[in-house]
Amino acid sequence: MSKRNIYLKTIPPEKAVQRAKEALDRNGLLSTETIPTHLAAGRVTAGPIIARYSSPTFHSAAMDGIAVRADDTFQAREDEPLSLSRGTQFEFVNTGNPLPEGKNAVVMIENVVQKDADTVRIEAPAFPWQHVRRIGEDIVATELLIPQNRELAPCDVGALLSAGIYEVEVRERVRAKFLPTGDEVLNFLDKPAPGAGQVIESNSQVFMAYAASWGVDAGWSTPVADDEDTLRTAVLDALSDGNHIVIVGAGSSAGSKDFSRKVFESIGTVLVHGISVMPGKPTLLAVTDERSGHPGRLLVGAPGYPVSAVVCHEKILAPLSSWLQGTAASEPVTADVVLARKTPSKPGMREAIRLAAGRIGDRIVAAPLARGAGMITTLTKAQAVAYIPEESEGVDQGETLAAELLVPKADLDRVLVHVGSHDNTLDLLANELMGLAQPLRLVSSHAGSMGGLTALKAGSALFAGAHLFDPDSGDFNFPFIERYLEGLDVTVVNLAIRHQGLIVAKGNPLNIQRVDSLKNEKVTFINRQRGAGTRILLDHHLKEAGIKPTEVRGYDNEEFTHMAVAVNVLTGAADCGLGIFAAAKALDLDFVPLAHERYDLVIPTQYVDDPRITTLLELIRTDGVQQKIATLGGYETDLTGRVMEPGMGLKG
């Protein structure tokens, strides 16, 4: 049996980067190359560049007008204009023309009165070199034009060409290769349909996109099998191909099939095994020695889970690539954000929290997205990322923390921050909003209906989706608003009436027909999280049926969205769960109707005139969007877009 790895002492990523820098000989690792100047933007100069020619190379007119000798114009006065003759005393010139022999000034054409084809008059004298670009005014031949170790900007290319520099010696680009590993990993180029236990490889392409932004010449391989010798051969081949950095994707953790550390130890020295950041902890760094045949190269073990891999790219590979090439490391744009929900964290590890963020009033409010090293969609949904310090046990709701923005700051003014109950119509609205002439981005934190009301009370959301049913009044949402949002004026607008019921496997093999069926020990249930309106609805029906939660197998197993509940049923992880018909329809599952309910948008009245909210409400009131909502299945749009009042229930 293969032995498991044991992590070395984890260290902060900044210390890991420094340790790698100290172990690498940057100047010995990368050579130089000569390339055409017009292709040199973004490259780093290997030495000083001296101008070959002056710019301009001749005295030239800086304005349209007449070229004159300044001494010939000294008698010109406003009350006594001076006449000049063409050929002897002036010549017409355009901007950029060489200055005629014997002339040393230009009079702008708007200050010239033409008497005839060969005679002009001027009312003011010119001074020597007036409106003239003199030889070497910009660049003087033999002077230092660009120093060594300078990253060339687009304008630098223009300056070099102007000075007659047609080729430049620059630092070699860093070359890197990414080796995805794992018997369960499928090559995306094959367009595979993954089976149980299989995943489509994507980390290599995330790395490739990052590498392009760093100016790294990168490549990748097809997935490498979980075999120590096979992996060693792949790493050695990558080194032989001239790569300065070889990244092994996955295999850096502590599992019995994680061979990266063993391979690295066999051909080099391990510098770091584990950084004190989650996700990202399994990051591995090593430097090759003579046993590899290519000493002094960098080996990186990147975690296999997508979010962990991104942390490795951003915190380890990005700064090391910039340092090796001599380019400036990009500094993230930061901003203070107010956390919309309490977020616990494990002390001793810095934790990366991806955030859905937008501006609300004069604050940037951020709602934590689902956590987990494998939650790649948090990367696509986030507008910011914050790091909870190692010594902290978490961040309270309403607390301010510094975050790195993943979008331009101005984009936060075009974000609709929703916290509350999940519904498939929110995804529909998110797509429709992005299709507008002035797109808006809808970001949502699925905190349940009660979580949404709590966020509104804290000022942490522009609006909240809620479908809280009150059995005593037969009304939706308003009894809870009165109880939990006392003093906050809100406007409630219906989004849809939706059908809730029991989502069951195709064909309903266990013949689940009503809530009573959940008492059957053979039935495994999947529940929604505490505070979710769907869970409150379930508890109401269980109470009416005389069933205790403890009698429902799986009652304590929680998911945060209707689609997640449906996926549990689809995969057999649960036999049924309470959710909306649209989720069952989307995954071709069966559905046992239980109740109709009103899904409303609860909006603080102070935000009703916010352009983002007015756009949202205008959108949901259109026939086109209402038709799309109905097409999802299990929705009625009779009340969609209407302002609700207490006591309306489902009657409107």
Side-chain angles (χ1 to χ4, degrees), residues 378-422:
T378 63
L379 301 176
T380 64
K381 294 177 180 178
Q383 286 75 51
V385 58
Y387 290 86
I388 300 178
E390 292 91 332
E391 65 274 11
S392 174
E393 294 185 358
V395 185
D396 289 330
Q397 181 183 29
E399 190 171 336
T400 299
L401 67 163
E404 298 176 6
L405 298 184
L406 305 177
V407 298
K409 200 168 186 177
D411 283 7
L412 299 179
D413 294 325
R414 304 197 62 78
V415 173
L416 279 154
V417 180
H418 165 265
V419 180
S421 173
H422 169 259

Side-chain angles (χ1 to χ4, degrees), residues 358-388:
R359 189 174 299 281
I360 300 177
D362 58 356
R363 307 184 304 169
I364 298 173
V365 174
L369 295 167
R371 286 188 279 182
M375 303 289 285
I376 194 169
T377 55
T378 63
L379 301 176
T380 64
K381 294 177 180 178
Q383 286 75 51
V385 58
Y387 290 86
I388 300 178

